[in-house]
Amino acid sequence: MKKVLSYFLLAIIMIACSTEENIDSSTDIANLEIENYKGIFTTADGGSRGTLDVTLSQDNLTATANLTLASGEVISISTDQVSNLGDTKEITFASNELSFTMTTGQEGETLEINTVSFRGSESSILAARNTERAPVTPVTGTYTCTTCAGPVDNSMTQTFNFMFVTADGDSSIATQTTLGMTVYNGIGAQDSCVVNGTDTTCDINSGDGMTTVGYTAGGGDVTWTGTHIFNNEPTGPNDCSGISGTWSWASPLVGTVDGLFVSDDLCTSSLNTIYQEDFQSFDGSGFAPMPAAGQLDSDIIIANGFSGSLDYGGTQTSGDYARGSDVNGGVGTGGVYAFDINTGNIILGVQPGGSDFTPGEFDFRIENTTGGDLSSFLISYDLYVNNDQGRANSLNFSYSTDNVTYISVSSLDFTSPGTSDSAGFVNNSMSASFSAAVASGAFIYIRFEGNDEAGSGSRDEFGIDNILLQAN
């Protein structure tokens, strides 16, 4: 009887051990974490920038990389060149578009990858391991100068990217900027976060709390301060992360240089709409400070580059400034029109000519009535082009805070094709963010400037519609 009891107890112990081993194995599988890295990317000349996502396969034998450019273009590559180095792995990606080699790291560690080639251009990547405990938020952006000197001017796009290593609250920041053909990596910190509904607003500053220096360039310290606004809802379609602020460079060679920085995308739910116009009441009868029905308010909108001139508050209600309405374009006389397209959709239109709008511009003077200072702007509009002629013409966007010096936004440059077609007015949806310091009660000026670009003969017709300017 004792033997039977002993065998019975042994069987129970064996079953219990077997069950425990199965649970442990299952738990190990469930806890297996696929390595993921996120980061920021720029070419050395600042011409291209974007965010990077790298994921290793579960067996650590292959990896994929997705580079999302600020333009929206996505470049995806895969590799089986994964080498196990013990605590880390070396991953090599190689394609005609993008090539780099990265060594993996631990949570909170910033990985600097300088062996990067993008479409033949020298480039750089900052990345970090992305986990639930330390989620990484990469943000792309640009900077401009207010006080310009030496190698810093607004003639080229300059990168100012940020990488946060926590979902919200206090966080360290890695930055990536370009100047000329050099990439500078820097540090910053986020704190003083305040929740306002679905948005959270945080202070961001260069340095690490012990110092305010973000990085050193040409022997001079670079410092910056700003605001980070992000959507605090669960991950979904409302995800956004907007950044803006000011920077300063104490250059020992050219003196103090300073300006503004802004992210490519802004959280629009936190923005104030400061101007909106769809031109539905415009009938092409000109401009006046106390506009009659069908006219545009010259205290806000003016045009130049035609016979005569128009200042803010002036009047032009005949000739080139008031060519009236036309359905679907195809006109032969240069000037300002109210083009009726798509059966009742009115746009602010122009027919360029040899002495009309080549060059010329539509200017808008918009007052900051929000009651607070503004530094980050988001402009969107519909650009309609009737490419019915064989000459290429442009309509480009720029902005100013003094109506004297205008800063172009190169991503909004548009040139019509040199070869004509019969498609009629075709819509091009345009949008971009930019930074400018506009105090309460001051004005921001925006300009749509046209000119000849290539070819000969008659010119295409252009139209602007659904202008929306938002800011914070």
Side-chain angles (χ1 to χ4, degrees):
M1 184 65 181
K2 287 182 179 181
K3 281 189 177 182
V4 174
L5 183 58
S6 297
Y7 287 136
F8 179 71
L9 291 174
L10 180 60
I12 291 176
I13 292 171
M14 292 178 64
I15 292 172
C17 291
S18 176
T19 303
E20 184 177 355
E21 289 175 358
N22 288 338
I23 291 174
D24 288 343
S25 175
S26 175
T27 301
D28 288 343
I29 294 173
N31 289 336
L32 184 62
E33 182 178 332
I34 297 176
E35 287 190 47
N36 174 247
Y37 295 81
K38 290 186 177 181
I40 45 183
F41 157 90
T42 185
T43 53
D45 62 5
S48 296
R49 60 192 179 278
T51 61
L52 182 74
D53 189 293
V54 174
T55 302
L56 277 76
S57 63
Q58 185 168 307
D59 57 12
N60 291 328
L61 297 179
T62 61
T64 59
N66 292 305
L67 174 63
T68 303
L69 299 177
S71 63
E73 181 183 2
V74 179
I75 298 167
S76 299
I77 53 177
S78 299
T79 185
D80 60 2
Q81 302 298 305
V82 181
S83 301
N84 194 331
L85 305 180
D87 293 337
T88 62
K89 304 170 190 66
E90 185 179 82
I91 311 170
T92 299
F93 292 94
S95 73
N96 293 332
E97 301 246 82
L98 176 67
S99 299
F100 66 94
T101 298
M102 66 173 285
T103 301
T104 60
Q106 304 302 313
E107 285 183 5
E109 180 182 356
T110 299
L111 310 176
E112 297 185 13
I113 307 170
N114 298 313
T115 56
V116 186
S117 177
F118 175 71
R119 293 173 177 167
S121 297
E122 180 183 348
S123 306
S124 182
I125 292 171
L126 287 183
R129 186 168 180 174
N130 179 51
T131 68
E132 289 186 2
R133 293 180 299 276
V136 177
T137 302
V139 181
T140 62
T142 58
Y143 70 90
T144 56
C145 55
T146 303
T147 303
C148 307
V152 184
D153 60 39
N154 292 322
S155 64
M156 65 181 74
T157 299
Q158 297 284 7
T159 296
F160 203 144
N161 292 339
F162 287 76
M163 185 173 69
F164 297 82
V165 294
T166 58
D168 51 34
D170 294 354
S171 173
S172 61
I173 305 170
T175 66
Q176 182 186 60
T177 61
T178 59
L179 177 59
M181 289 295 294
T182 303
V183 179
Y184 293 92
N185 296 328
I187 59 173
Q190 172 176 274
D191 57 22
S192 303
C193 295
V194 177
V195 176
N196 182 17
T198 59
D199 291 329
T200 297
T201 301
C202 303
D203 293 337
I204 55 174
N205 296 280
S206 55
D208 57 6
M210 303 295 291
T211 175
T212 60
V213 177
Y215 59 93
T216 300
D221 293 340
V222 176
T223 57
W224 51 265
T225 184
T227 303
H228 178 205
I229 301 175
F230 59 90
N231 180 272
N232 55 39
E233 296 175 288
T235 300
N238 294 325
D239 286 352
C240 64
S241 198
I243 292 170
S244 62
T246 59
W247 60 269
S248 180
W249 176 33
S251 170
L253 297 178
V254 299
T256 299
V257 185
D258 55 36
L260 304 139
F261 61 85
V262 66
S263 55
D264 291 310
D265 293 316
L266 297 171
C267 285
T268 56
S269 62
S270 66
L271 298 178
N272 300 292
T273 295
I274 63 172
Y275 183 74
Q276 192 168 10
E277 178 60 70
D278 63 7
F279 302 104
Q280 281 303 104
S281 62
F282 182 49
D283 66 7
S285 55
F287 303 75
M290 298 184 66
Q295 296 176 340
L296 296 175
D297 187 348
S298 66
D299 286 325
I300 301 174
I301 310 172
I302 60 174
N304 276 293
F306 304 97
S307 298
S309 62
L310 181 60
D311 296 325
Y312 286 110
T315 300
Q316 285 282 7
T317 56
S318 62
D320 289 343
Y321 287 87
R323 293 299 182 191
S325 299
D326 183 87
V327 178
N328 293 328
V331 298
T333 303
V336 179
Y337 289 83
F339 288 131
D340 183 344
I341 62 174
N342 300 330
T343 313
N345 181 23
I346 309 300
I347 63 176
L348 172 59
V350 60
Q351 171 62 73
S355 57
D356 294 319
F357 212 68
T358 55
E361 62 267 348
F362 290 113
D363 287 346
F364 294 71
R365 180 175 65 177
I366 301 164
E367 184 177 3
N368 173 11
T369 61
T370 63
D373 296 344
L374 301 175
S375 60
S376 301
F377 292 80
L378 178 65
I379 179 71
S380 63
Y381 56 94
D382 290 330
L383 171 56
Y384 285 90
V385 181
N386 181 14
N387 180 40
D388 61 344
Q389 303 297 328
R391 185 194 288 263
N393 276 65
S394 60
L395 192 69
N396 301 334
F397 176 88
S398 58
Y399 66 93
S400 173
T401 57
D402 58 9
N403 197 28
V404 176
T405 302
Y406 277 81
I407 299 172
S408 64
V409 179
S410 59
S411 63
L412 297 179
D413 287 352
F414 182 91
T415 300
S416 63
T419 303
S420 63
D421 59 52
S422 58
F425 277 101
V426 175
N427 182 25
N428 302 271
S429 295
M430 315 291 283
S431 67
S433 58
F434 61 91
S435 55
V438 181
S440 176
F443 293 92
I444 180 75
Y445 300 83
I446 62 174
R447 170 173 288 176
F448 301 90
E449 184 174 7
N451 208 348
D452 290 336
E453 295 296 336
S456 60
S458 298
R459 296 160 176 86
D460 300 327
E461 296 163 331
F462 289 81
I464 305 166
D465 197 15
N466 299 320
I467 297 174
L468 176 63
L469 183 63
Q470 298 172 287
N472 63 19

